[in-house]
Amino acid sequence: MRNIKDSNKMTQRIILMHRASYCKVREQVEKVRKAQKMWAKTSFKQRRQFLRILLKYIIKHQALICEISSRDTGKTMVDASLGEIMTTCEKIHWLLSEGEKWLKPEYRSSGRSMLHKSARVEFHPLGVIGAIVSWNYPFHNIFNPMLAALFSGNGIVIKISENASWSGCFYFRIIQSALAAIGAPEDLVEVITGFGETGEALVSSADKVIFVGSPGVGKMIMRGASETLIPVTLELGGKDAFIVCEDVDVDHVAQIAVRAVLQSSGQNCAGAERFYVHRSIYSSFVSKVTQIIKSVTAGPPLAGRYDMGALCMHEHSEKLEGLVNDAIDKGAEIVARGSFGPIGGDAVDQYYPPTVIVNVNHSMRLMQEEAFGPIMPIMKFSSDEEVVKLANDSRYGLGCAVFSGNQSHAREIASQIHCGFAAVNDFAATYMCQSLPFGGVKHSGFGRFGGAEGLRACCLVKAVVEDRWWPYIKTVIPKPIQYPVAESAFEFQESLVEALYGLSIWDRLKALVSVLKVLTEQHSTNSSKLK
């Protein structure tokens, strides 16, 4: 059996994890499927009890959860708190407050022709959700799909990233303990480790797949899911635009901009990757962010005295350097870089300095490819039309942030950006509003998690119609269209359509008279035949 090498991002100590084989994955899915059939019968009250136990544990053990994430991915404790703890707690809080409401049957209008019917939508569990998640937020990326899946009555198998397997297996034990505390089936949630073939096995056996990763792998997931025709939700990263208009408070926005690019060392799906600043404040904005970036120090995240931690993977620093070198070769200029604390020689490639780069344009790979690193490329714009065109000139479409002293102005620009979410005078605030759906368009993927949309995406959505006043009023096939159909059948249908949907009351009344006339004639004909 091939092993997975995971490493402590501070010490570079290698940790071996087992790879789940194809047969093992299918076996795990079947175990979860059996457990899910029991879980589907639980009440929302029982499911909320599970969530409360998790929430209590998370709040009490914030430091431990953040330290585990820090050791496996290199992020600082503050970055882990923001991206792992707060997001997950907000998700649980929203499910406790509103989850049941969005999963209860929803009654809809029955229309004119079905006035005697009641119409509703029911939300039933799909069965086993398969989640294949990324490494950048190992705690939240496990808990996010798990919480939605279990609250909607499903089981789940989560394939964690081979780059964050150690932390994922630890977090799995938290879920197991919470399930045991409420007497839930122990096999309801499974976490598996492995490489591409492990993910393929999960796609081929689950009832729905949620994938967080790259567009290339996302396309492979889609091809695999097409074999069994299961639904897929894809979140494939972004190249989010951060737009700064001429009437902002530069000092205020600069601080938000730096957080937007440096959160988790830039390894953030919804991180800002392209900065467009109005030319009238361009110099002052660059000056301010340069001042802040130069004050940032990167170093071992658990030391507690550094602003930014490490990259999760050694090879990622090479990619970032390649993007920056390509930009410099095409005329860009580095105007500021942060500094490093004491880093061992064997870990130097695990870090990349916070970087501000100017004179960029869209011919550069840095402005087209997802960097996923602490790099702030800043470009000037002169008009709203220009910046909207620039922001939309990307194969990605996850989110955007627009800043202006005039909120309606910022809102107008944001409405023209082709993406899945927008923050007006803020950065990534939409994700902390867990009532909202999260997801993108274009190469950022499709489908949503978060909000009612994400919760219901874990469900079989079933339309149901039944008699409103049963058994007093039942469906009866009108005589003219009963088999064998009468000669007047089409005349009856034609009049019935106009009686129901005519544009004026007078037209509908005339058509109703025609309907009654056909029915009367049909009754007379049938009576004559009986005689």
Side-chain angles (χ1 to χ4, degrees):
M1 176 181 283
R2 193 167 152 215
N3 289 324
I4 302 167
K5 287 185 177 181
D6 194 9
S7 60
N8 183 308
K9 301 308 182 289
M10 296 177 1
T11 65
Q12 298 307 303
R13 179 168 55 88
I14 300 299
I15 304 162
L16 295 180
M17 311 294 294
H18 288 296
R19 181 203 67 176
S21 66
Y22 183 90
C23 292
K24 183 65 175 177
V25 172
R26 296 190 71 89
E27 179 185 318
Q28 297 284 72
V29 170
E30 287 309 307
K31 286 169 61 180
V32 173
R33 198 178 300 285
K34 290 178 182 177
Q36 184 273 330
K37 293 184 187 303
M38 292 184 282
W39 178 252
K41 299 174 184 177
T42 58
S43 66
F44 286 114
K45 182 179 180 180
Q46 289 171 288
R47 298 174 195 177
R48 281 192 291 269
Q49 184 184 6
F50 169 67
L51 297 187
R52 289 191 183 99
I53 290 171
L54 285 176
L55 184 58
K56 183 178 180 180
Y57 179 91
I58 293 168
I59 293 171
K60 187 176 180 180
H61 297 89
Q62 294 179 59
L64 175 61
I65 292 167
C66 290
E67 180 181 341
I68 295 295
S69 175
S70 177
R71 287 186 181 278
D72 214 13
T73 65
K75 60 172 57 68
T76 65
M77 294 287 282
V78 170
D79 285 350
S81 177
L82 289 168
E84 307 276 28
I85 302 295
M86 287 191 69
T87 51
T88 305
C89 288
E90 188 64 37
K91 175 94 174 184
I92 294 174
H93 173 73
W94 179 77
L95 285 170
L96 288 170
S97 302
E98 298 186 40
E100 181 178 355
K101 177 179 76 172
W102 295 110
L103 293 175
K104 279 185 171 180
E106 181 179 283
Y107 284 82
R108 307 277 181 91
S109 63
S110 52
R112 285 186 175 176
S113 64
M114 293 287 120
L115 280 173
H116 59 299
K117 303 285 187 180
S118 69
R120 67 179 182 273
V121 181
E122 295 178 350
F123 304 94
H124 299 276
L126 282 171
V128 179
I129 307 296
I132 302 174
V133 299
S134 62
W135 45 263
N136 57 328
Y137 289 105
F139 179 75
H140 183 69
N141 286 346
I142 289 172
F143 273 64
N144 186 41
M146 181 277 296
L147 291 167
L150 267 60
F151 196 80
S152 53
N154 296 283
I156 189 167
V157 178
I158 307 168
K159 191 267 179 192
I160 53 179
S161 170
E162 58 271 27
N163 296 304
S165 297
W166 173 70
S167 58
C169 291
F170 176 85
Y171 297 143
F172 178 39
R173 289 161 54 191
I174 300 173
I175 299 168
Q176 288 177 309
S177 298
L179 289 172
I182 63 166
E186 64 178 0
D187 294 326
L188 188 61
V189 178
E190 289 289 349
V191 167
I192 57 176
T193 56
F195 299 96
E197 59 270 29
T198 305
E200 290 173 16
L202 181 55
V203 171
S204 70
S205 51
D207 299 307
K208 174 191 168 72
V209 172
I210 298 171
F211 173 71
V212 180
S214 68
V217 178
K219 292 176 182 179
M220 294 169 62
I221 298 288
M222 282 187 67
R223 281 195 290 270
S226 70
E227 294 296 321
T228 50
L229 293 177
I230 59 170
V232 176
T233 295
L234 301 177
E235 196 275 89
L236 307 178
K239 193 72 183 171
D240 290 7
F242 190 106
I243 298 169
V244 185
C245 297
E246 66 273 24
D247 54 355
V248 302
D249 178 340
V250 171
D251 289 352
H252 170 74
V253 176
Q255 282 289 347
I256 299 174
V258 174
R259 168 57 65 181
V261 75
L262 297 189
Q263 166 66 26
S264 196
S265 301
Q267 299 166 122
N268 192 18
C269 297
E273 296 230 353
R274 295 178 292 151
F275 290 79
Y276 301 104
V277 180
H278 194 276
R279 65 172 54 252
S280 65
I281 60 165
Y282 181 83
S283 295
S284 60
F285 182 85
V286 170
S287 175
K288 186 61 182 178
V289 295
T290 293
Q291 176 187 341
I292 299 171
I293 289 289
K294 285 181 176 180
S295 72
V296 173
T297 304
L302 291 181
R305 59 181 181 272
Y306 299 109
D307 307 295
M308 195 183 87
L311 301 175
C312 185
M313 294 176 288
H314 274 101
E315 60 270 21
H316 193 50
S317 62
E318 296 178 10
K319 175 189 174 181
L320 296 178
E321 196 64 23
L323 293 176
V324 169
N325 288 341
D326 172 76
I328 291 171
D329 290 344
K330 294 173 181 175
E333 178 188 358
I334 294 174
V335 293
R337 273 189 155 161
S339 58
F340 290 135
I343 299 170
D346 59 346
V348 68
D349 290 338
Q350 203 78 48
Y351 293 84
Y352 194 87
T355 300
V356 179
I357 185 166
V358 297
N359 298 332
V360 294
N361 60 60
H362 280 212
S363 71
M364 301 169 183
R365 290 170 53 208
L366 182 60
M367 296 297 282
Q368 295 295 334
E369 300 177 20
E370 185 178 36
F372 225 55
I375 303 171
M376 180 185 283
I378 310 175
M379 187 172 176
K380 299 176 187 175
F381 73 90
S382 300
S383 66
D384 291 358
E385 293 76 15
E386 181 187 10
V387 77
V388 168
K389 184 177 179 180
L390 289 169
N392 286 328
D393 181 26
S394 173
R395 65 187 186 126
Y396 291 99
L398 189 55
C400 71
V402 183
F403 291 80
S404 171
N406 183 332
Q407 190 161 325
S408 62
H409 180 209
R411 189 185 305 126
E412 174 61 25
I413 293 174
S415 70
Q416 298 176 66
I417 310 301
H418 191 45
C419 59
F421 58 86
V424 173
N425 285 326
D426 207 340
F427 151 71
T430 49
Y431 198 75
M432 285 305 294
C433 297
Q434 279 291 317
S435 62
L436 296 177
F438 180 84
V441 294
K442 300 190 282 189
H443 279 231
S444 290
F446 56 82
R448 297 293 183 266
F449 49 81
E453 294 81 359
L455 194 57
R456 290 175 170 182
C458 293
C459 298
L460 165 63
V461 180
K462 182 181 291 186
V464 179
V465 173
E466 60 182 72
D467 290 311
R468 192 187 300 272
W469 298 291
W470 174 271
Y472 307 106
I473 298 179
K474 304 177 184 177
T475 296
V476 177
I477 304 297
K479 289 288 184 181
I481 60 173
Q482 288 182 8
Y483 291 108
V485 296
E487 291 182 8
S488 59
F490 183 73
E491 179 187 352
F492 169 80
Q493 278 300 119
E494 196 173 32
S495 299
L496 180 62
V497 168
E498 189 166 6
L500 288 169
Y501 308 111
L503 294 179
S504 71
I505 294 177
W506 179 243
D507 288 341
R508 293 201 297 274
L509 286 174
K510 286 195 300 181
L512 180 60
V513 170
S514 298
V515 168
L516 295 174
K517 179 181 176 183
V518 172
L519 288 174
T520 302
E521 291 174 352
Q522 182 67 30
H523 179 72
S524 299
T525 301
N526 289 343
S527 297
S528 298
K529 287 181 180 179
L530 287 173
K531 291 178 180 178

